[in-house]
Amino acid sequence: MFTIEELEELVKDCKKCRLYKKRTNLVFGEGVTNTILMFVGEAPGADEDRMGRPFVGKAGQLLDKALTALDFERKKNFYITNICKCRPENNRTPMEDEAEACLPYLRRQVLIIKPKIIVCLGATAAKYIIDRNTRISQIRGQWFERKGYYLTATFHPAALLRDESKKRLMWNDLKKVKAKYDEILQEL
Ligand code: URA
């Protein structure tokens, strides 16, 4: 089994799909790796591509603000990554073959980190992690137990930038994540 650093080293020159051609940096993921909590988004945007770090643009800052209010911090208690590790041009939704090419890396990350809770940020993450045929508005805030993981989904933070009314709903979803996190820590 690889360490997360070894895996990142292996992945960084990936050319398994067309997205490598236009990337500045591959965005592998970051945060603490001895954690029970993992967040998964869609794919890097322009800021992330430039910096090689996930969720550092406007949407990421909004997410960090909400998470900090719940005492969740990348340097302290969670890991964050994306379904696709390279930026699709113009921030389009990743194509199925791009997501399929990249998913083995996410599976490896999960096997190494062994989170108990995986939070899907937005429809793309929910599609590939929870259910291919569902809508984010239908499943958000619910728990799905699979193979020892607690899976849940909430809106992508970029959706909140477009529609303020989603903020309260996402906040409710994140509070459920916090409650589950505290519950699991108590049991450990
Ligand atoms: N949106 C995502 O889904 N992931 C990022 O890392 C940034 C924006």
Side-chain angles (χ1 to χ4, degrees):
M1 177 63 90
F2 301 114
T3 64
I4 201 85
E5 291 81 12
E6 285 165 346
L7 180 64
E8 181 166 7
E9 193 57 32
L10 281 173
V11 169
K12 83 177 193 316
D13 297 320
C14 179
K15 294 187 176 139
K16 286 206 293 177
C17 82
R18 63 188 76 73
L19 295 181
Y20 83 89
K21 292 182 190 158
K22 292 190 179 156
R23 74 176 171 226
T24 310
N25 288 294
L26 182 144
V27 180
F28 181 72
E30 70 177 27
V32 290
T33 52
N34 63 333
T35 180
I36 62 164
L37 178 60
M38 187 159 171
F39 290 88
V40 183
E42 178 175 297
D47 294 310
E48 290 76 20
D49 174 68
R50 193 162 32 81
M51 296 183 65
R53 296 179 54 207
F55 285 99
V56 290
K58 265 201 173 152
Q61 287 164 28
L62 181 65
L63 177 70
D64 272 348
K65 210 165 138 190
L67 294 180
T68 303
L70 294 167
D71 200 28
F72 288 144
E73 288 175 37
R74 298 179 195 207
K75 290 201 172 128
K76 192 167 84 176
N77 49 15
F78 71 87
Y79 189 84
I80 187 160
T81 186
N82 286 298
I83 295 286
C84 281
K85 311 302 192 213
C86 297
R87 182 188 183 213
E89 69 280 2
N90 304 319
N91 299 341
R92 66 165 170 75
T93 304
M95 294 178 194
E96 296 246 0
D97 64 329
E98 294 161 351
E100 291 297 345
C102 221
L103 276 170
Y105 299 144
L106 178 65
R107 292 195 190 102
R108 285 268 169 174
Q109 286 172 304
V110 169
L111 286 175
I112 294 168
I113 294 169
K114 302 188 191 75
K116 299 248 186 280
I117 301 170
I118 301 177
V119 183
C120 303
L121 298 168
T124 298
K127 171 178 171 182
Y128 290 105
I129 294 174
I130 299 178
D131 187 341
R132 303 248 166 176
N133 300 305
T134 193
R135 297 177 67 88
I136 186 77
S137 50
Q138 275 169 3
I139 58 162
R140 52 153 279 276
Q142 297 177 38
W143 289 107
F144 300 85
E145 273 186 68
R146 295 226 194 108
K147 297 184 187 164
Y149 301 106
Y150 289 100
L151 311 179
T152 191
T154 190
F155 294 119
H156 193 286
L160 274 58
L161 293 170
R162 293 189 293 269
D163 177 359
E164 286 257 325
S165 71
K166 292 198 167 97
K167 274 192 182 167
R168 189 181 50 82
L169 298 172
M170 187 191 210
W171 179 244
N172 289 342
D173 298 342
L174 293 178
K175 280 197 293 189
K176 286 190 197 169
V177 172
K178 171 72 172 166
K180 179 70 83 184
Y181 177 89
D182 287 344
E183 185 189 309
I184 293 174
L185 277 195
Q186 292 250 316
E187 286 166 5
L188 287 181

